[in-house]
Amino acid sequence: MKLNFKKIIFSLCTTLIMPTFVSADVGLLVGRNYGSGDINTTTDITKAQTQFTYAGQGYISNTNPTYFWITGEQNGVKRVENSILFFSGHGNQNLMHFYNNDATAGGYDFYITGTSNYGSTTVRLASYDMSKVKLAVFAGCKTGSGTSNVASQTKADGAKATIGWKESIQVGSHSDWLNRFWSKVFTPGFGGTMLTAIQYANSFTYSDSRVKNISTYGNWSTAYNSLSLENEAFMDNSVSMANETFNTYYSKDEHENTLIYPDLDLDDIEKDDDVDSVIL
């Protein structure tokens, strides 16, 4: 058989000169199946993954996160300091709460807050560098209610744009709204802004109209790609990265937290018996 050495040499050269850097513009997508008799927001993450992939946007996702995983690093970058933070689950004005009713091991019960501290399992975003965050979406009940909330606090700590919800919202309507939002946030159209994505999602009719009652903070009057970051650097990765799908490069930690966590009575969390009308 006659070999084409020119092609072989060219192939080797292109492999060797592939850049070993990937953009630090990555999204952190976090949801949870809360277990028996509770809500399941894993669909929100799956749908977001699809929209991120269509847009060529990198992401790290986890639908069964632990406290240790969420506070850990990926390739030298703290997970909660990625460019996009998307949390979908139970919430109230001060926090988002992730837990698993069916988990027997520790580590699955933790809180995402802006400035509040609820004990050893609080992921307090004010303790991290929020100036690295372009967009933070707190997809939970009342995360945008009142004059000060987890969304507004995260903006005050340096995030470029944040969003939260003013009222309790049904899971089905919220999931549909979020999917439409993510479908437009990266490609809002000619001359469009991130606000266009909100307007698009709000243009539909939902069984729970409260899903349109949102609070936004920061710069929504520009396109996502135009938002500036203080960490518009690059992080080092292996050459093999060039031959793999960016979104599947990351793996999930299996660490378990064995600490005993303080209980928190979340008065704002409500739940109906109808699965489609479960309240976040």
Side-chain angles (χ1 to χ4, degrees), residues 183-250:
S183 74
K184 299 294 182 183
V185 74
F186 302 117
T187 54
F190 296 108
T193 67
M194 289 203 303
L195 184 60
T196 306
I198 294 176
Q199 293 169 338
Y200 174 74
N202 277 351
S203 68
F204 292 83
T205 300
Y206 301 92
S207 59
D208 184 358
S209 61
R210 295 173 298 178
V211 73
K212 301 180 182 183
N213 196 1
I214 57 179
S215 298
T216 58
Y217 305 92
N219 186 4
W220 287 84
S221 61
T222 188
Y224 172 80
N225 290 332
S226 297
L227 288 175
S228 62
L229 275 180
E230 294 183 13
N231 71 330
E232 285 286 6
F234 293 85
M235 58 184 182
D236 196 5
N237 278 309
S238 63
V239 175
S240 62
M241 188 71 176
N243 299 318
E244 296 180 21
T245 303
F246 180 75
N247 296 337
T248 60
Y249 179 78
Y250 300 100

Side-chain angles (χ1 to χ4, degrees), residues 140-198:
C141 291
K142 301 186 178 180
T143 52
S145 65
T147 56
S148 178
N149 50 63
V150 62
S152 66
Q153 292 162 10
T154 302
K155 166 59 183 70
D157 286 329
K160 301 301 180 290
T162 66
I163 184 173
W165 275 257
K166 294 181 179 180
E167 301 183 62
S168 296
I169 40 182
Q170 295 176 350
V171 170
S173 294
H174 202 211
S175 184
D176 290 341
W177 191 99
L178 288 168
N179 185 46
R180 288 160 178 157
F181 169 78
W182 287 120
S183 74
K184 299 294 182 183
V185 74
F186 302 117
T187 54
F190 296 108
T193 67
M194 289 203 303
L195 184 60
T196 306
I198 294 176

